Amino acid sequence: MSNSMPIPFSTTIHVRDTCLCLHVQRAARALARRFDNALKPLGINNGQFSLMMALNRPQPAPMGPVAELLAMDRTTLTAALKVLERRGLVETLLHPDDKRSRLMKLTKEGHSLLSSALPIWQRVHGELDVELGEDMDPLRRALATIR
């Protein structure tokens, strides 16, 4: 332990008011709660909705691109997939060209649930657009550049 002086409270206030990470985390938690509450009647949360939407494609998806899209490591993605697989919403297949790799796809039940979830997602997004009253595309573009 060092004998450094305590950080002044004014610095704490400055960090609280200017820390981009803090503001994005708070907003992300608030948004996640809002979407979780809206999707709860369907038995999914916003993360599961996003994962299922990432799998909504013409061909089964490999793990890498899905993990990258969702900014998840493969271990976290695998854990999230197992929950959806147990519910019969997602199926994992062997890659035909590489038996060590897996492909993921929505099942018929997964497509059906996602179809029920989409109008909820659209409604909540519409409410946010009205509440925020601004064009959110610049914010989306700015956030997309953060890696």
Side-chain angles (χ1 to χ4, degrees):
M1 285 279 185
S2 68
N3 291 331
S4 61
M5 297 293 294
I7 297 171
F9 186 63
S10 60
T11 302
T12 300
I13 299 301
H14 173 74
V15 170
R16 179 199 70 192
D17 293 345
T18 63
C19 180
L20 184 58
C21 188
L22 172 63
H23 288 275
V24 169
Q25 286 173 336
R26 287 178 62 184
R29 288 185 191 108
L31 288 170
R33 274 192 305 276
R34 183 177 287 198
F35 281 95
D36 285 349
N37 289 335
L39 294 166
K40 189 174 187 169
L42 298 180
I44 61 172
N45 60 38
N46 77 88
Q48 292 166 328
F49 173 83
S50 295
L51 173 51
M52 291 173 66
M53 191 58 75
L55 298 178
N56 185 47
R57 43 178 85 198
Q59 300 298 318
M63 297 273 291
V66 174
E68 185 177 329
L69 172 70
L70 299 174
M72 287 182 168
D73 59 62
R74 287 174 185 251
T75 303
T76 304
L77 177 58
T78 299
L81 283 168
K82 286 188 187 304
V83 172
L84 297 175
E85 281 181 305
R86 282 194 296 271
R87 288 190 55 195
L89 302 172
V90 172
E91 182 179 4
T92 303
L93 313 164
L94 284 175
H95 194 294
D97 300 328
D98 182 358
K99 300 301 182 206
R100 298 169 296 159
S101 297
R102 302 282 184 263
L103 299 173
M104 304 159 297
K105 72 174 200 165
L106 292 174
T107 63
K108 181 179 175 185
E109 294 81 6
H111 281 287
S112 178
L113 182 64
L114 192 58
S115 292
S116 297
L118 183 58
I120 296 170
W121 179 90
Q122 291 170 322
R123 176 183 53 79
V124 174
H125 255 274
E127 293 167 359
L128 284 166
D129 287 343
V130 169
E131 285 177 36
L132 297 172
E134 296 181 23
D135 177 13
M136 291 291 104
D137 286 338
L139 176 59
R140 285 183 190 94
R141 283 192 300 274
L143 292 172
T145 65
I146 299 172
R147 297 277 179 237

